[in-house]
Amino acid sequence: MSPNYWAVVPAAGVGKRMGTNIPKQYLPLAGKTVIEHTLDSLLQHPRIQAIVVAVSSEDRWWPECLPQDKERIIRAPGGAERCHSVSNGLECLLSLAAPEDWVLVHDAARPCLRREDIDRLMETLHGHPIGGLLALPISDTVKRANAEGVVLETVNREGLWRAMTPQMFRLEKLYRALREAIAAGVQVTDEASAMEWAGFSPHLVEGYPDNIKITHPQDLMQAEDFLKRQGREG
Ligand SMILES: Nc1ccn([C@@H]2O[C@H](COP(=O)(O)OP(=O)(O)OP(=O)(O)O)[C@@H](O)[C@H]2O)c(=O)n1
Ligand SMILES: C[C@](O)(CO)[C@H](O)COP(=O)(O)O
């Protein structure tokens, strides 16, 4: 029987780098909120069974932003860091999904995700034993600098990619790798790094460059433009 697909959306951040008084996932964007665009992009995919959203216990905005399709949305507790929120979301899925089911982990802060990117991830990784992630090969020259912005070195960009989300892995393997990496005190900023630490080799799938993460104020304007060009206004 073909594995099912599920999603986990970490949405418990405070958006320090955005500098706003509400978390960036609840900021207005192209007629809706950031998180509504993100959830809609996943809800509109027919193969995604349900979405577990990790929300902070102090969150005052979540109930207002629930999309119409509430029955496919499950709330899980957010954690101190993104990896803890994801781990909590995965734990919530263990009772609903099979161990070899696929889970797509996607940042709430990436509202411009395209259907084509989800399809490409699913098609490319069909039958893959582990999984992989959307990413972009780096086409600029890369510099490493000190805290004062002085160049320390030019980094060879050969083979360098920027990781994005969704990152799609087999549920039980990801849950176990993430729990063990967290317990070992490993710095886990994405799901792939936990899988790599566990000895797996995730597969990179090239995605659209407009699948940006809303981090700083200027990212909102860029995302607004991307969504309008795609006709995705609320
Ligand atoms: N404890 C945390 C921290 C982050 N996230 C989520 O992980 C995604 C990517 O994280 P990031 O862009 O760093 O969001 P913030 O942590 O909110 O941003 P900042 O670092 O500027 O505070 C976001 O959707 C964010 O809501 C989360 O679920 N739980
Ligand atoms: C998961 C991620 O979006 C991949 O690029 C990124 O690592 C999230 O980093 P953040 O500092 O938690 O935004």
Side-chain angles (χ1 to χ4, degrees), residues 17 24 82 107 110 163-165 167 189-191 213 215:
R17 291 169 286 181
K24 63 188 179 184
R82 180 185 178 282
D107 295 329
R110 289 183 188 267
M164 301 190 284
T165 68
Q167 304 203 1
T189 57
D190 72 343
E191 289 62 59
K213 182 164 66 74
T215 306

Side-chain angles (χ1 to χ4, degrees), residues 10-18 24-25 54 78-82 85 107-109 213-215:
V14 296
K16 291 186 292 296
R17 291 169 286 181
M18 181 57 75
K24 63 188 179 184
Q25 55 272 33
E81 295 172 36
R82 180 185 178 282
S85 297
D107 295 329
K213 182 164 66 74
I214 306 285
T215 306

Side-chain angles (χ1 to χ4, degrees), residues 115-194:
R115 165 71 184 261
E116 306 99 291
D117 265 352
I118 301 174
D119 288 339
R120 189 177 323 104
L121 203 54
M122 292 178 170
E123 286 154 19
T124 308
L125 299 175
H126 179 73
H128 194 280
I130 304 300
L133 62 149
L134 288 179
L136 273 176
I138 288 181
S139 55
D140 302 306
T141 295
V142 181
K143 306 289 184 187
R144 186 184 307 281
N146 65 16
E148 287 71 45
V150 176
V151 174
L152 299 176
E153 62 169 327
T154 294
V155 177
N156 181 350
R157 67 179 165 189
E158 192 62 38
L160 290 188
W161 292 59
R162 287 194 288 126
M164 301 190 284
T165 68
Q167 304 203 1
M168 188 176 104
F169 294 104
R170 300 285 183 173
L171 172 60
E172 187 175 51
K173 290 185 179 74
L174 175 58
Y175 180 66
R176 187 176 299 151
L178 193 55
R179 298 287 295 173
E180 289 171 3
I182 290 169
V186 175
Q187 174 76 10
V188 177
T189 57
D190 72 343
E191 289 62 59
S193 48

